Amino acid sequence: GRIRINAAVEAANLLLAPVMPAIMDRYPDIEIDIVASNRMVDVTDAGFDAGIRYGGTVPEDMVARRLSADIRWVIAASPDYLERYGTPEH
């Protein structure tokens, strides 16, 4: 059969891409459609079987399971940029 997944772009790259070859080898009869988008959609209304989102963006009426450890995001800037524009405070 076919499985339709809607995932945030980062989730598609960081979580799905590394495991897709093994999944396709193990389940060759399954078609997987992945739509990578950072636009929030109602997964069920849009006809998806599953969605991958950041933890704080999952609607309360959905069943959610953790797929990864916490991801730490950082902001980096060159010394020239900081000298020109200042150091961000938030």
Side-chain angles (χ1 to χ4, degrees):
R2 177 179 297 189
I3 297 172
R4 296 191 70 228
I5 300 171
N6 180 272
V9 173
E10 294 82 4
N13 290 327
L14 296 172
L15 299 176
L16 293 178
V19 300
M20 288 310 300
I23 290 172
M24 299 311 298
D25 285 345
R26 187 169 183 179
Y27 304 102
D29 296 331
I30 294 176
E31 287 183 42
I32 300 178
D33 292 337
I34 299 170
V35 175
S37 171
N38 288 334
R39 186 175 61 95
M40 291 301 293
V41 298
D42 184 310
V43 175
T44 52
D45 283 351
F48 291 99
D49 299 299
I52 301 176
R53 292 282 173 252
Y54 300 108
T57 63
V58 177
E60 289 184 19
D61 63 339
M62 297 294 237
V63 175
R65 297 285 184 255
R66 177 181 280 274
L67 294 179
S68 70
D70 288 344
I71 296 173
R72 184 173 170 218
W73 296 98
V74 298
I75 297 174
S78 71
D80 291 342
Y81 178 92
L82 296 174
E83 185 177 317
R84 185 172 181 181
Y85 298 104
T87 301
E89 294 184 26
H90 60 282

